[in-house]
């Protein structure tokens, strides 16, 4: 019973419009938890597309369904022109999946891991080795090729993990939280590789908890929360909706917080968010000049400021702006993920 | 930064899709690589049976069978059965590790024969049984064990051992699929296996045991396996004994292989 799917060339795959992924009403629940609750998604070919959401929003469930690892309870989807339910092997032949945890054999060396996968794809002895070496070079892992993966750093592991997804150039590459747990330098390295990859025409669908990551990499972003898509657009469109210039102010005296909040609200006409600790305020401030004037006004009113900064909204602020409620607490989210 | 980057990678495609058999062989190759990289596991595999062999032969052997030599002749086939049954646990632990690390997610998202990872586990099992079996047999021969049926007896014995290992392997594969912590797989597996192995005729004949235990020992599948293996080594085995030894492995395979498939596909 050979269920191996014909491996088709990405460039000659049957055209289905220009969509790499097209999903309608995808649903999946775990017991009473509706992890994904009716999501539509259209991802054009060759695009980096980000799914942004807090822990437990349903990102992993969504990406696992699209990668044929989980059966949807409802809805339908086509990936690279193949129906997810009716032709799962054909979908598998045109995708690659890099999960949240490095999916590598820790006991084997980097090179052996790649050769193993190359052979599974159907490369024979020498071809498989050549492909492994080519990938190790491209991902700057040639020096570590003969070391066991268990001795790798987080960044190296992630690079090898992505390399392992490129044995056969996929039509769509799924990356589930590609930089979670990496230090800033390793994160930059992974970002650079994802950008390089997209230049080769690979469609990348990634999930992330970081607005900055989505902003840096993705041409389009879908924001999901509690299994539903609550916004979608380019980074610019989303920022226009949410506001990009956020002013964060820390007060020297927590007791001044009400007075400071009132003053800022009157000035900007936007809701001021207070931090849980009580002495920090965040508000959409528009331009740097307006923010500067607001700080002057605070000081003129005799309110002492211990620290301030201008920056992008945090994920919490994005969710606040989009839904009016704070993002699911991480703790609650993790329980949901664990249920999966 | 090196001269190459992912952007410069060629898009490669294999000449033709792999067959199910070649997928399975690749997973078997992985099992062999594991032996090379984690040779310590061989130590785990054979230490306990070697200690058992020495302890029982020299400490208890004389008291149990008149002389250590006579006891070894009786005991060695039994210790081979015990080793194979215990060592099946490694498949389950390996599977549990792969699942907890997300490695199976990668395998499952590949366009390969979906059961080939299990075929690879079986290859690893056969290798383990072969290596551990040969080491123990070698020590037995040095100590004076003589398989009266000669080489063919040993070959048939090993074939029966593989069948036994294949059957018990399913128990641990199912546990490995259900439990995501490898150590728990081992603990639960041994809890099931221990009474079966010790309340059997591996170490002593059941005649001196209390009646209720005798009833258990006589019907214990591990006893049937041991009886058949003793017979094969001595050249006295009947077809009935061998068939009786195969009942449990066949039943386990028939019952648990569909369960394995269902557990694997249910997500």
């Amino acid at each position: 019973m050979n269920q191996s799917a014909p491996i088709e060339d990405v460039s000659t795959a049957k055209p289905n419009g220009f969509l790499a992924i097209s999903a309608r009403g995808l649903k999946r629940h775990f017991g009473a938890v509706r992890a994904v609750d009716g999501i539509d998604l259209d991802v054009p070919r060759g695009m980096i597309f980000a799914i942004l959401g807090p822990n437990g929003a349903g990102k992993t469930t969504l990406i696992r369904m699209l990668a044929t690892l989980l059966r949807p309870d409802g809805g339908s989807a086509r990936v690279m022109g193949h129906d997810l339910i009716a032709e799962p092997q054909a979908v598998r032949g045109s995708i690659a999946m890099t999960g949240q945890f490095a999916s590598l054999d820790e006991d084997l060396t980097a090179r052996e891991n790649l050769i193993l996968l190359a052979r599974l794809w159907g490369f024979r002895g020498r071809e498989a080795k050549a492909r492994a070496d080519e990938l190790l070079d491209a991902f700057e892992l040639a020096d570590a090729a003969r070391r066991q993966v268990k001795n790798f750093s987080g960044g190296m592991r992630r690079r090898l993990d992505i390399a392992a997804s490129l044995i056969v150039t996929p039509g769509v590459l799924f990356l589930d939280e590609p930089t979670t747990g990496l230090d800033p330098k390793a994160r930059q390295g992974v970002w650079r590789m994802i950008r390089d990859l997209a230049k080769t025409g690979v469609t990348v669908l990634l999930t992330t908890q970081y607005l900055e990551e989505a902003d840096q990499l993705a041409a389009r972003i879908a924001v999901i929360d509690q299994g539903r898509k609550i916004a979608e657009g380019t980074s610019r469109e989303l920022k226009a909706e949410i506001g990009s210039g956020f002013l964060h102010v820390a007060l020297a005296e927590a007791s001044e917080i009400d007075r400071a909040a009132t003053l800022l609200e009157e000035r900007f006409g936007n809701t001021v968010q207070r931090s849980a600790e009580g002495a920090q305020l965040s508000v959409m401030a528009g331009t740097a000049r307006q923010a500067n004037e607001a700080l002057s006004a605070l000081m003129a009113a005799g309110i002492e400021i211990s620290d301030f900064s201008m920056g992008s909204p945090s994920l919490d602020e994005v969710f606040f702006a989009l839904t009016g409620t704070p993002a699911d607490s991480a703790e609650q989210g993790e329980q949901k993920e664990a249920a999966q | 930064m090196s001269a190459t980057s992912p952007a410069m990678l060629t898009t490669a495609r294999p000449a033709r899709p792999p067959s199910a058999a070649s997928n399975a062989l690749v997973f078997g190759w992985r099992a062999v690589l594991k032996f090379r990289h984690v040779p310590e596991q061989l130590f785990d595999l054979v230490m306990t049976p070697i200690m058992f062999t020495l302890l029982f032969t020299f400490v208890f052997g004389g008291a149990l069978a008149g002389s250590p030599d006579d006891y070894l002749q009786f005991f060695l086939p039994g210790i081979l059965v015990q080793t194979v049954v215990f060592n099946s646990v490694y498949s389950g632990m390996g599977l549990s590790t792969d699942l907890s690390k997300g490695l199976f997610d990668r395998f499952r998202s590949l366009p390969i024969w979906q059961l080939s990872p299990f075929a690879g586990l079986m290859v690893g099992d056969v290798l383990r049984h072969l290596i551990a079996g040969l080491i123990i047999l070698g020590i037995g021969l040095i100590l004076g064990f003589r398989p009266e049926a000669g080489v063919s007896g040993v070959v048939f014995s090993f074939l029966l051992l593989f069948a036994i290992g294949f059957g018990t392997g399913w128990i641990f594969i199912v546990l490995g699929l259900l439990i995501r912590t490898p150590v728990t797989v081992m603990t639960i597996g041994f809890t099931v296996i221990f009474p079966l192995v010790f309340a059997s005729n591996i170490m002593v004949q059941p005649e001196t045991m209390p009646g209720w235990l005798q009833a258990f020992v006589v019907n214990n599948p591990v006893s049937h396996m041991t009886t058949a293996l003793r017979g094969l080594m001595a050249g006295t085995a009947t077809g009935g004994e061998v068939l009786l030894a195969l009942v449990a492995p066949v039943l386990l395979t028939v019952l648990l292989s569909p369960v394995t498939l269902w557990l694997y596909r249910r997500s």
Side-chain angles (χ1 to χ4, degrees):
Chain A
M1 56 185 259
N2 183 358
Q3 297 182 4
S4 297
I7 298 168
E8 65 182 42
D9 201 315
V10 178
S11 54
T12 60
K14 49 187 158 174
N16 176 37
F18 291 96
L19 292 179
I21 299 170
S22 153
R24 289 291 168 272
L26 274 187
K27 273 187 192 143
R28 173 79 200 205
H29 50 76
F30 298 98
V33 180
R34 292 183 180 175
V36 170
D37 194 15
I39 285 186
D40 296 347
L41 210 58
D42 285 316
V43 180
R45 291 196 182 189
M47 180 183 273
I48 304 184
F49 192 103
I51 305 214
L52 176 68
N55 262 334
K59 304 188 297 292
T60 298
T61 308
L62 177 61
I63 210 167
R64 283 173 62 86
M65 280 196 284
L66 290 171
T68 75
L69 295 175
L70 264 182
R71 235 182 135 73
D73 291 327
S76 64
R78 298 186 80 79
V79 178
M80 293 308 284
H82 303 292
D83 188 275
L84 196 60
I85 313 290
E87 316 161 75
Q89 278 299 78
V91 171
R92 288 178 195 128
S94 58
I95 61 160
M97 162 91 180
T98 302
Q100 222 171 87
F101 308 101
S103 23
L104 303 161
D105 190 324
E106 306 249 313
D107 292 327
L108 305 191
T109 67
R111 189 162 182 264
E112 285 165 348
N113 264 288
L114 294 179
I115 295 174
L116 176 80
L117 291 165
R119 287 199 179 161
L120 287 175
W121 274 102
F123 288 102
R124 313 221 158 218
R126 194 172 301 169
E127 298 166 351
K129 285 177 185 151
R131 185 60 180 168
D133 289 333
E134 190 183 8
L135 285 161
L136 288 165
D137 269 342
F139 283 84
E140 296 164 38
L141 290 165
D143 295 339
R146 284 162 206 279
R147 271 165 53 193
Q148 279 175 284
V149 173
K150 64 175 148 205
N151 301 321
F152 274 31
S153 71
M156 287 163 76
R157 225 173 256 247
R158 212 60 189 146
R159 284 192 336 248
L160 181 61
D161 213 7
I162 295 176
S165 299
L166 302 176
I167 303 280
V168 165
T169 311
V172 182
L173 174 61
F174 295 101
L175 297 171
D176 196 5
E177 304 202 359
T179 64
T180 298
L182 295 190
D183 62 51
K185 186 164 173 281
R187 170 172 297 172
Q188 293 285 346
V190 170
W191 283 357
R192 196 182 66 226
M193 278 160 189
I194 294 173
R195 283 195 202 100
D196 282 352
L197 260 178
K199 286 183 203 145
T200 66
V202 174
T203 309
V204 178
L205 182 70
L206 62 90
T207 70
T208 181
Q209 301 183 43
Y210 309 114
L211 183 64
E212 193 202 351
E213 182 159 274
D215 189 20
Q216 285 277 331
L217 291 174
R220 278 185 86 76
I221 302 168
V223 185
I224 69 170
D225 184 36
Q226 299 188 354
R228 293 177 165 277
K229 188 165 79 178
I230 55 175
E232 190 191 317
T234 62
S235 177
R236 187 189 295 249
E237 285 164 358
L238 285 176
K239 280 182 173 168
E241 195 174 334
I242 301 156
S244 59
F246 260 68
L247 174 64
H248 309 279
V249 182
L251 304 178
E253 297 288 336
S255 57
E256 301 271 39
I257 195 151
D258 287 330
R259 215 150 65 82
T262 316
L263 199 150
L264 289 173
E265 262 169 16
E266 279 168 3
R267 196 157 187 98
F268 294 112
N270 291 320
T271 317
V272 169
Q273 292 177 52
R274 300 164 189 225
S275 70
E277 298 76 31
Q280 281 213 36
L281 299 169
S282 299
V283 67
M284 207 213 294
T287 66
R289 184 190 176 86
Q290 287 169 299
N292 199 354
E293 284 167 6
L295 289 170
S296 304
L298 284 175
M299 285 190 277
I303 299 169
E304 195 74 22
I305 295 164
S306 67
D307 194 12
F308 71 90
S309 63
M310 275 292 273
S312 302
S314 67
L315 186 59
D316 269 337
E317 287 155 352
V318 170
F319 274 84
F320 192 85
L322 289 173
T323 65
T325 54
D328 238 354
S329 75
E331 225 171 301
Q332 203 180 329
E334 265 150 31
Q335 280 167 7
K336 267 192 218 170
E337 299 270 345
Q340 300 171 16
Chain B
M1 161 121 209
S2 72
T4 48
S5 84
M8 297 162 80
L9 269 180
T10 56
T11 54
R13 293 253 152 197
R16 56 203 165 101
S19 66
S22 92
N23 283 160
L25 279 177
V26 175
F27 280 102
W29 176 68
R30 175 176 174 236
V32 176
L33 281 178
K34 288 245 185 202
F35 275 102
R36 205 181 319 156
H37 286 297
V38 200
E40 310 89 272
Q41 61 170 306
L42 273 181
F43 187 78
D44 292 345
L45 285 181
V46 294
M47 262 336 271
T48 321
I50 290 175
M51 304 267 281
F52 264 77
T53 310
L54 296 177
L55 177 76
F56 273 78
T57 305
F58 293 112
V59 178
F60 303 125
L64 290 170
S67 77
D69 280 354
D70 288 338
Y71 186 69
L72 183 66
Q73 202 69 14
F74 169 81
F75 182 57
L76 198 100
I79 199 74
L80 285 171
V81 171
Q82 180 190 313
T83 305
V84 165
V85 171
F86 277 166
N87 284 349
S88 310
V89 76
Y90 287 95
S91 290
M93 285 175 70
L95 183 61
S96 175
T97 308
D98 288 351
L99 287 167
S100 65
K101 293 260 166 62
L103 190 56
F104 257 62
D105 276 356
R106 178 171 309 279
F107 295 151
R108 286 177 59 215
S109 67
L110 290 174
I112 55 173
W113 177 40
Q114 295 290 288
L115 289 183
S116 49
F118 295 103
L121 288 178
M122 299 295 181
V123 173
D125 270 358
V126 168
L127 272 174
R128 256 187 292 271
H129 299 326
L130 183 66
I131 295 170
L134 285 177
I135 291 176
I136 290 156
L137 181 68
I139 288 177
L141 289 172
I142 292 168
L143 295 179
F145 173 72
R146 292 294 171 263
E148 276 147 32
V151 175
S152 68
V154 172
V155 170
F156 282 119
S157 297
F158 271 71
L159 289 177
L160 178 61
L161 285 173
F162 295 154
I164 293 168
F166 184 84
T168 30
W170 293 106
I171 301 176
F172 292 101
I173 285 178
V174 167
L175 286 174
L177 282 167
L178 285 172
I179 304 163
R180 293 293 157 96
T181 33
V183 178
T184 315
V185 172
M186 185 170 77
T187 318
I188 295 184
F190 278 171
T191 311
V192 178
I193 295 281
F194 249 91
L196 282 173
V197 165
F198 284 94
S200 75
N201 63 1
I202 287 182
M203 285 120 197
V204 287
Q205 293 291 15
E207 280 80 30
T208 58
M209 300 177 188
W212 57 270
L213 186 57
Q214 262 191 50
F216 180 83
V217 170
V218 168
N219 294 302
N220 182 348
V222 175
S223 298
H224 293 315
M225 296 169 188
T226 309
T227 304
L229 206 74
R230 274 185 193 130
L232 286 172
M233 287 282 194
T236 59
T238 65
E241 280 174 352
V242 175
L243 282 179
L244 212 51
L246 287 172
V247 168
V250 169
L251 268 182
L252 284 169
T253 306
V254 169
L255 292 176
L256 295 185
S257 60
V259 175
T260 302
L261 250 181
W262 178 75
L263 284 173
Y264 186 56
R265 288 186 173 156
R266 89 187 142 158
S267 55

